[in-house]
Amino acid sequence: MKAMILKEFRQMARDRRTVALMVGLPIMLLVIFGYAARYDVANIDTIVVGPDAAAVAADLDPVYSVATVDPSGTRATAEEALRESDAQVAIVTGSTPNLMLIDGTELFVAQSALRRLPSATVPQIMFNPSLSTANVMVPSLIGLILLFIGTVITSLGVVREREQGTLEQLAVMPLRPMDVTIGKIAPYFLVAALDMALVTTAGLLLFGVPFAGSPVLFVAFGLVFLFVVLGLGVAISTVSKSQGEAVQLAIMALLPQVMLSGMIFPLASMAGGVRWIGYLLPLTWFIKGMRGVFLKDSSFAALALPLGILVLMAVVVFGAAIMRFRRDLAPRRVTATDTVEATDAAEVAA
Amino acid sequence: MSAHVDAAHVTRRFGDFTAVDDVGLQVEAGEVVGLLGANGAGKTTLIKMVLGLLRPTAGRVQLFGQPPGLEQRRRIGYVPQNLGLYTDLSVDENLAFRAEVFGCAQVGAGDLPGGRHVGDLPLGLQRRAAFAAALQHRPELLVLDEPTSGVSPLSRSELWDLIRSEADRGAGVLVSTHYMDEAVQADRLVVMARGRVVATGSEADVVGERRTLVVEAAHWEGAFAAVDGAGLRPLLAGRTIRVPGGEDDLPTLRQVLADAGVEADVRTAPATLEETLVELSR
């Protein structure tokens, strides 16, 4: 038995990814839960408009972080600010009582605002008046499902080629690396796109989630996000020797996105450093986009930032993944330690 | 006409390790070239460079007079050690995929169970399916890396019939193997050791004048133990003991046996290909 235990420890120590999963993951979970898993919101982005804006803004509870005070603003200005995600709460002054418009797509922010309602103010929840969890979660879950298919399923599909030795066979067949790459990824892209349509339809029909915005923006977000997640899947596959390794890496890529994307815990309540990690994750921006499209009928201009960031991520992640995958199919370069100049012929031919 | 494979002064280094060192290799049409060598001799690395899967650190590889590339790959059939078939697809589906990629007509699975998943077939049938897939487009060059590894003698014989018939058709064949009885079926042997080519030619050319020491004793067990104890690496062939070495080593061997009190007849005989390979690989 002692021999068995020793053998197991030796194997465990050699498998760096398992060690990372066993040691790194608990630390990551602790940090995430410690700094991110908070439902209480300490900071609510606020705009105050109307003739009494300055006076009302001065009297507000410190939880309201007033970014704009606009005495000439109207209710329309306030609604626009919420729709464009410039603020989470907008107070319209000039009537008695004052009106507080609250962005209902930010569930915890809305609840915090309702708990700390200023005096002589009536609330009105916009975009998700019943503060329905399903309305907020379904658009986010579409992203999570795509992320799962994109990273886990795609990486497994590509790694299987390497495990079976068929990737090498493909490399000696009359196929260009681009043929193999597109041929390999296109089916996953189509299945993921179909999944997106199915999940969206099911979400709309089963949970009665409203779809207020532009179908074109919805499709644009979906396609760009698909490129990001498929790129992530291919990238994982290029650094994994086995399907087990690919699954481990995929878990490590998925977990932070679930925790830090704002899907479960509000970004507004996270500690600064952790929130910035959230901003680096594609799911964060997809969720912002989907909530804007589904619930707020946000304009293209309002969603340009999340869409632009996703496009940038798609170019970087997908591009890098494809280049690495291509390297598996084309002759490898000689290493820097090699002193004799190699023929360029094989490289050119590839 | 240029050779199907023409590799000259090919070297491949991985960091400080030289896997293939200044090797030349030619394969002509209709010729079966057997690539021989112990594990780690550099056979697979050389094959990968011939196929364009690895770039040589130095030297030149040409297929049909050109560097390995898309057009050359159309003319190659390759069976890797791990077969390169999709085990979760049926034989027919694998053949259809290859036919589509090479733009040729799909051949029937013949007596192979075409509808069954490749992964469900015994290794012998899997290898035949891999051959069928590789030969479908009638390649001018067939590259086979340990193609009969792990299959029964009968299946190996069938696969070699297939290799010969491809060569008779005019295809050049480069085949690596560690089975000596198969190696002798090649038209020409290229023996590699420590990344270098250490012998080429027919079996007779490779063996040359090499001889081995043969020990015959009434009590062969005692003789074997004595020779083995002296670190002379004996091999047992029936009850005959064969020891690497030549005429010059006879006195030493006789002394070892005498010291052990073993009576034995000791002489030299022509070395076999396997013994030659062992000697060359030292």
Side-chain angles (χ1 to χ4, degrees):
Chain A
M1 191 174 71
K2 186 183 153 204
M4 190 72 198
I5 291 170
L6 277 174
K7 186 267 307 174
E8 205 57 36
F9 269 122
R10 275 196 191 112
Q11 283 184 302
M12 218 183 273
R14 299 252 159 92
D15 183 358
R16 281 181 298 168
R17 287 181 203 211
T18 301
V19 173
L21 208 63
M22 288 191 304
V23 180
L25 204 64
I27 292 172
M28 188 171 84
L29 287 176
L30 184 77
V31 170
I32 288 171
F33 275 105
Y35 290 107
R38 291 180 188 167
Y39 293 116
D40 54 316
V41 177
N43 194 51
I44 301 173
D45 292 334
T46 307
I47 173 174
V48 188
V49 300
D52 303 329
V56 170
D59 279 348
L60 282 175
D61 185 294
V63 78
Y64 294 100
S65 167
V66 180
T68 308
V69 176
D70 180 6
S72 61
T74 62
R75 180 192 166 110
T77 319
E79 276 188 26
E80 190 62 15
L82 294 192
R83 199 180 301 284
E84 306 297 293
S85 299
D86 292 336
Q88 295 160 322
V89 158
I91 301 170
V92 184
T93 63
S95 59
T96 308
N98 292 325
L99 177 65
M100 179 187 268
L101 300 178
I102 300 170
D103 182 349
T105 66
E106 302 272 2
L107 283 184
F108 297 104
V109 173
Q111 282 160 358
S112 279
L114 287 174
R115 279 199 299 273
R116 294 180 174 90
L117 201 63
S119 58
T121 305
V122 289
Q124 185 182 342
I125 297 169
M126 308 279 296
F127 316 125
N128 182 20
S130 57
L131 287 182
S132 153
T133 307
N135 285 357
V136 177
M137 285 305 280
V138 167
S140 310
L141 284 172
I142 294 170
L144 185 64
I145 290 163
L146 292 184
L147 190 62
F148 178 78
I149 293 171
T151 51
V152 180
I153 311 291
T154 308
S155 62
L156 287 181
V158 180
V159 169
R160 200 163 47 225
E161 292 266 7
R162 186 175 292 112
E163 272 190 322
Q164 290 190 341
T166 43
L167 204 59
E168 185 180 279
Q169 184 66 256
L170 290 174
V172 296
M173 285 160 78
L175 291 166
R176 290 169 304 171
M178 196 44 77
D179 296 334
V180 177
T181 309
I182 293 174
K184 190 71 204 171
I185 293 169
Y188 294 102
F189 191 91
L190 291 175
V191 170
L194 190 69
D195 262 330
M196 183 173 164
L198 275 174
V199 173
T200 305
T201 309
L204 297 178
L205 295 178
L206 294 177
F207 299 101
V209 176
F211 188 96
S214 152
V216 175
L217 269 176
F218 170 75
V219 172
F221 266 97
L223 291 182
V224 174
F225 187 63
L226 272 183
F227 272 107
V228 180
V229 296
L230 288 176
L232 211 53
V234 175
I236 287 171
S237 72
T238 57
V239 293
S240 304
K241 291 191 200 78
S242 67
Q243 298 191 47
E245 281 187 7
V247 170
Q248 281 181 348
L249 270 183
I251 289 172
M252 286 194 246
L254 273 172
L255 208 60
Q257 310 223 38
V258 174
M259 299 292 190
L260 302 178
S261 61
M263 185 174 83
I264 299 173
F265 307 109
L267 278 166
S269 67
M270 292 177 194
V274 176
R275 187 163 64 234
W276 271 101
I277 298 174
Y279 289 144
L280 295 174
L281 304 173
L283 188 60
T284 304
W285 301 102
F286 182 74
I287 287 174
K288 277 186 186 295
M290 284 294 101
R291 286 180 182 169
V293 170
F294 268 75
L295 304 172
K296 295 160 83 170
D297 187 18
S298 299
S299 65
F300 175 79
L303 297 179
L305 179 67
L307 191 59
I309 289 174
L310 281 177
V311 167
L312 188 70
M313 286 179 173
V315 170
V316 173
V317 176
F318 194 76
I322 293 306
M323 279 169 72
R324 256 200 90 106
F325 183 57
R326 209 189 122 94
R327 212 180 60 178
D328 285 349
L329 296 165
R332 279 161 216 156
R333 289 178 179 282
V334 287
T335 60
T337 51
D338 296 324
T339 51
V340 185
E341 199 174 321
T343 173
D344 288 323
E347 192 73 7
V348 171
Chain B
M1 201 175 74
S2 52
H4 282 10
V5 176
D6 184 11
H9 303 293
V10 171
T11 295
R12 174 69 204 202
R13 295 192 194 97
F14 296 98
D16 294 336
F17 176 69
T18 304
V20 171
D21 188 5
D22 195 25
V23 162
L25 176 73
Q26 281 76 38
V27 181
E28 304 284 349
E31 181 186 36
V32 179
V33 175
L35 197 54
L36 278 182
N39 288 336
K43 304 188 299 286
T44 298
T45 303
L46 180 60
I47 284 178
K48 287 190 175 180
M49 286 191 285
V50 165
L51 291 168
L53 288 169
L54 271 179
R55 225 175 145 215
T57 310
R60 173 181 61 91
V61 175
Q62 290 202 322
L63 294 176
F64 310 105
Q66 298 286 325
L70 198 65
E71 284 312 309
Q72 286 67 46
R73 294 205 287 264
R74 287 187 200 287
R75 301 161 73 178
I76 298 175
Y78 173 47
V79 180
Q81 270 185 58
N82 54 23
L83 302 176
L85 294 176
Y86 293 97
T87 51
D88 50 350
L89 295 184
S90 71
V91 173
D92 281 340
E93 287 166 336
N94 271 285
L95 292 174
F97 170 63
R98 280 304 170 88
E100 177 99 12
V101 171
F102 280 94
C104 66
Q106 185 188 341
V107 297
D111 56 349
L112 288 166
R116 283 182 62 189
H117 284 189
V118 168
D120 295 338
L121 299 177
L123 188 56
L125 287 183
Q126 288 189 13
R127 292 219 176 266
R128 281 181 49 204
F131 267 66
L135 298 177
Q136 215 173 194
H137 59 290
R138 298 179 71 77
E140 294 164 64
L141 173 66
L142 200 52
V143 180
L144 312 167
D145 194 4
E146 309 270 1
T148 59
S149 192
V151 301
S152 70
L154 183 63
S155 299
R156 277 164 53 194
S157 165
E158 286 173 355
L159 291 174
W160 267 94
D161 287 346
L162 208 52
I163 292 170
R164 274 261 66 103
S165 69
E166 283 301 305
D168 293 344
R169 175 176 67 77
V173 181
L174 176 62
V175 54
S176 77
T177 181
H178 56 258
Y179 292 118
M180 295 306 126
D181 55 334
E182 288 183 1
V184 296
Q185 298 191 52
D187 299 315
R188 191 157 55 82
L189 295 173
V190 174
V191 183
M192 290 186 74
R194 299 171 301 280
R196 300 186 71 96
V197 171
V198 289
T200 56
S202 64
E203 180 190 7
D205 294 333
V206 170
V207 174
E209 298 299 315
R210 277 190 184 77
R211 297 186 71 78
T212 199
L213 303 167
V214 177
V215 180
E216 285 179 296
H219 299 289
W220 63 268
E221 299 95 329
F224 188 91
V227 177
D228 195 33
L232 298 177
R233 295 180 295 112
L235 292 168
L236 203 56
R239 292 188 167 192
T240 302
I241 298 159
R242 297 176 73 93
V243 185
E247 295 284 347
D248 295 347
D249 301 311
L250 270 175
T252 309
L253 182 58
R254 286 198 174 109
Q255 189 60 51
V256 164
L257 291 165
D259 290 349
V262 178
E263 280 187 28
D265 173 35
V266 182
R267 58 189 164 81
T268 65
T272 63
L273 182 59
E274 186 168 7
E275 286 161 347
T276 304
L277 189 66
V278 170
E279 276 303 297
L280 290 169
S281 300
R282 285 170 65 187

